[in-house]
Amino acid sequence: MGELSRLTLAEARDRLRARDFTAAELTDDCLAAAEAAAVLNAFTPPTPDLARAQAAAADARLAKGDAPDLCGVPLGIKDLFCVEGAPAQAASRILEGFRPPYESTVTARLRERGAVMLGKLNMDEFAMGSSTETSAFGPAISPWRRRGDAAPLTPGGSSGGSAAAVAADLCLGATGTDTGGSIRQPAAFTGIVGVKPTYGRCSRWGIVAFASSLDQAGPMAKSVTDAAILLSAMAGHDPKDSTSANRPDEDFAAGLKGDLRGRRIGVPREYRVDGMPAEIEALWAKGSDMLRDAGAEIVEISLPHTKYALPAYYVIAPAEASSNLARYDGVRYGRRARIGAGDGVTELYERTRAEGFGREVQRRIMVGAYVLSAGFYDAYYLRAQKVRTLIKRDFEQAFDAGVDAILTPATPSAAFGIGDMADADPVQMYLNDVFTVTVNLAGLPGVSVPAGLDAAGLPLGLQLIGRPWDEKGMLDAAFALERACGFAAKPGQWW
Amino acid sequence: MSIDKETARRVAHLARIEVAESDLDRVAAELSGILGFMEQLRDVDVSGIEPMTSVTPMALPLREDRITAGGEPERILGNAPDARRGFFAVPKVVE
């Protein structure tokens, strides 16, 4: 078990086409690995019948020689995506029992290309969180542990189940979504690659909405090449999402060379935040050196409004969430609370939402309701939207000055322990997003690349931020970084 | 900006979330903490700055005004906790 599930997506694709093994064998190996790793709580759980049926169909296509890149490749799908025939709960009690009668555009694209879905993956409730601890399914557990220490660590969040499943080799790749860092932070915590595409690159149709102007789906994978292959399948125009960009499909994996000659990489001085561990500072400097060695010119840049990104985000995202989550009312789908004989529809709404939403989701809905309410809208929401304009302008000015991509740390620390933040102020958890959230506010593409281990043996990631629609250039820089870092560490198998 | 218990009660109702009387102080304290964090936004000079309404400069696309889906009430009602005779059922709203 695990010999096949440990392969990269690109290796599996080539060997499936060479008929070294079948999609059915590969799928069974992943299902066995997933079953043996139940303690990681990455899946919600696997859906083996669906997976085996898809694997059989993929084998038939492979036999005919009609095999797109993903044909027969077993993937995990974040529970935020609606997949026909499987429950979709967004890791929330309020969607208990919901079976979507439709398929998200991103998963439909994966299906059309022959991908096999092993099951839905754990996440923070409605993607609100940085540790998967807000999940109604209980937290996902990282396959990584500190050296000589059995304390369970978080795989990050909100796409923590996706990160744990990829890092533990339970699948060959996974989908995630990223509203403020929810792909890149868990990727960094677990030593894998995570890509948040340009806003509008992947259709949001059929993905449970959190903050619609910030949400983007993206791949989580074992290498930059794998992430590029997955992104090529996930991305593309969709008339069903009015913010989906009308651009032709691209092959992001073609032509990855890691040759950065003539390219300029910016290093923003405002990302040198107070209290940043020396290890992260050193890793960042090492990353700059590596990109310079690959031919890039490294320049210091300024993104002066960076420090206002987190407060702006935590106005805008809850405001959008409070609107989006208004639909969960116990009437059309999901859980409905019992009410008394004399109670009316308002009590039905209020009790259903009190029982169905976890504490962090309730908090964000209330913050959103507050900042949008009469008398406070201008002071909070409108002001945050203006600050968002300034944050985007900072990036535009850097790109206009000739910068091709920007290098930053992915997270302000390595993974923390499950329960470590239980007594912390909610704002402490929000600080996890400090390096990633600007990218969502500005609609840019970002990628987290595993770059090294800290003193306790935990992965650390670096982030590259690209120009809008230049995923290709960004991924080429990521490819150079990946090659130079040579990150090959894997978690020891304790489960 | 400090949120008092009465404001917390009002916000909870706006959000249509039932909060027990005994939890209102905790909710008020948490909301105060989060809103306090947002106070930093007051330090930014936003005079003359347009609020962002679309992160990518694009006009919303128009489509032909044509019915492309529908006529499937069973699928629409299939997930409802209480559906009767082709309708979503709720407690009595009008006396």
Side-chain angles (χ1 to χ4, degrees):
Chain A
M1 184 188 80
E3 288 77 18
L4 301 182
S5 73
R6 266 195 284 274
L7 297 173
T8 66
L9 194 157
E11 288 163 350
R13 170 198 60 191
D14 296 346
R15 291 181 58 186
L16 281 165
R17 284 180 180 160
R19 308 307 284 154
D20 269 3
F21 47 77
T22 64
E25 287 163 344
L26 177 59
T27 298
D28 280 341
D29 195 58
C30 289
L31 287 169
E35 198 181 315
V39 66
L40 301 181
N41 204 22
F43 283 92
T44 70
T47 44
D49 294 346
L50 193 59
R52 292 201 174 99
Q54 291 175 345
D59 275 324
R61 279 176 85 170
L62 283 155
K64 279 191 283 185
D66 157 39
D69 276 351
L70 293 180
C71 194
V73 172
L75 303 175
I77 303 295
K78 188 179 185 181
D79 195 32
L80 211 60
F81 294 77
C82 288
V83 172
E84 209 167 345
Q89 236 182 283
S92 179
R93 283 189 303 277
I94 210 160
L95 274 170
E96 259 167 19
F98 177 61
R99 292 188 88 87
Y102 50 83
E103 178 95 18
S104 79
T105 297
V106 164
T107 53
R109 291 181 65 97
L110 296 173
R111 262 190 193 201
E112 281 160 21
R113 286 159 180 76
V116 171
M117 184 185 85
L118 296 167
K120 306 297 282 296
L121 293 166
N122 203 356
M123 52 180 279
D124 280 294
E125 182 181 8
F126 283 106
M128 297 180 194
S130 303
S131 64
T132 69
E133 288 170 289
T134 70
S135 169
F137 303 116
I141 308 294
S142 177
W144 291 87
R145 288 173 163 181
R146 293 190 191 99
R147 201 175 288 120
D149 182 351
L153 302 180
T154 177
S158 67
S159 310
S162 305
V166 173
D169 289 321
L170 314 183
C171 56
L172 301 195
T175 64
T177 62
D178 190 317
T179 304
S182 279
I183 287 175
R184 291 159 288 155
Q185 181 255 25
F189 277 9
T190 56
I192 65 168
V193 176
V195 178
K196 181 254 170 224
T198 311
Y199 183 81
R201 182 69 91 172
C202 290
S203 169
R204 292 179 297 108
W205 198 82
I207 302 174
V208 175
F210 162 14
S212 305
S213 79
L214 301 158
D215 296 343
Q216 263 296 287
M220 302 175 73
K222 300 180 193 181
S223 72
V224 171
T225 301
D226 284 6
I229 293 169
L230 265 174
L231 179 62
S232 307
M234 294 168 70
H237 180 234
D238 176 16
K240 286 190 284 197
D241 171 2
S242 61
T243 60
S244 161
N246 193 354
R247 305 173 74 90
D249 286 6
E250 278 186 57
D251 181 353
F252 297 105
L256 288 177
K257 287 195 305 283
D259 179 0
L260 302 184
R261 279 176 296 183
R263 305 195 58 217
R264 192 177 287 174
I265 307 286
V267 173
R269 70 172 76 98
E270 290 80 5
Y271 282 57
R272 205 156 276 124
V273 295
D274 289 345
M276 186 156 83
E279 280 173 312
I280 299 219
E281 181 114 36
L283 185 78
W284 190 14
K286 191 180 90 174
S288 295
D289 291 345
M290 288 170 169
L291 294 176
R292 189 182 290 114
D293 289 344
E297 179 194 350
I298 306 294
V299 292
E300 185 173 271
I301 61 168
S302 175
L303 302 168
H305 295 90
T306 298
K307 72 178 266 208
Y308 302 109
L310 269 179
Y313 175 84
Y314 278 97
V315 171
I316 294 166
E320 293 187 20
S322 80
S323 305
N324 274 327
L325 273 60
R327 72 189 68 177
Y328 303 104
D329 55 8
V331 173
R332 287 158 298 164
Y333 30 70
R335 182 192 179 105
R336 168 180 254 182
R338 282 177 192 279
I339 52 167
D343 289 336
V345 76
T346 303
E347 287 81 8
L348 172 71
Y349 295 155
E350 295 192 345
R351 201 154 310 152
T352 294
R353 291 160 65 81
E355 289 178 8
F357 291 136
R359 205 173 256 195
E360 178 61 21
V361 172
Q362 292 192 16
R363 203 151 40 217
R364 294 202 198 184
I365 291 173
M366 286 192 265
V367 167
Y370 182 80
V371 300
L372 291 174
S373 65
F376 300 100
Y377 180 91
D378 286 2
Y380 289 103
Y381 185 69
L382 194 65
R383 177 165 278 264
Q385 291 286 57
K386 290 178 179 174
V387 172
R388 190 175 177 186
T389 299
L390 290 168
I391 288 165
K392 182 164 185 255
R393 186 184 291 174
D394 286 352
F395 281 104
E396 284 166 351
Q397 286 170 349
F399 291 133
D400 287 347
V403 164
D404 294 297
I406 295 167
L407 179 74
T408 78
T411 59
S413 71
F416 47 91
I418 299 285
D420 279 5
M421 304 287 261
D423 299 323
D425 189 274
V427 171
Q428 285 305 312
M429 191 68 110
Y430 300 170
L431 298 179
N432 261 288
D433 301 334
V434 63
F435 299 132
T436 47
V437 78
T438 50
V439 172
N440 302 76
L441 288 169
L444 302 171
V447 55
S448 172
V449 180
L453 298 176
D454 75 355
L458 297 182
L460 296 171
L462 289 172
Q463 172 178 243
L464 281 156
I465 303 168
R467 293 168 172 268
W469 312 113
D470 186 29
E471 280 87 345
K472 211 157 189 170
M474 176 185 83
L475 289 170
D476 203 38
F479 186 76
L481 195 59
E482 176 183 58
R483 200 168 48 192
C485 291
F487 184 91
K490 285 271 188 185
Q493 196 172 333
W494 52 266
W495 57 90
Chain B
M1 181 87 197
S2 181
I3 302 285
D4 58 24
K5 195 169 174 176
E6 275 320 299
T7 309
R9 193 194 312 275
R10 189 176 61 83
V11 172
H13 180 64
L14 272 178
R16 296 291 184 274
I17 295 173
E18 186 177 70
V19 177
E21 186 69 29
S22 57
D23 278 343
L24 282 173
D25 284 325
R26 172 185 59 80
V27 168
E30 286 174 0
L31 295 184
S32 295
I34 295 168
L35 292 166
F37 175 63
M38 295 166 180
E39 292 298 308
Q40 300 170 60
L41 293 177
R42 289 176 194 269
D43 303 342
V44 190
D45 179 7
V46 293
S47 47
I49 302 298
E50 285 292 313
M52 184 185 288
T53 49
S54 170
V55 70
T56 38
M58 65 185 286
L60 272 186
L62 296 176
R63 62 168 171 78
E64 200 187 328
D65 187 12
R66 191 166 54 86
I67 296 169
T68 56
E72 42 188 6
E74 298 79 18
R75 280 181 86 205
I76 303 289
L77 295 171
N79 277 295
D82 188 4
R84 297 180 212 165
R85 287 183 288 175
F87 293 96
F88 294 110
V90 294
K92 194 153 93 177
V93 184
V94 182
E95 291 301 324

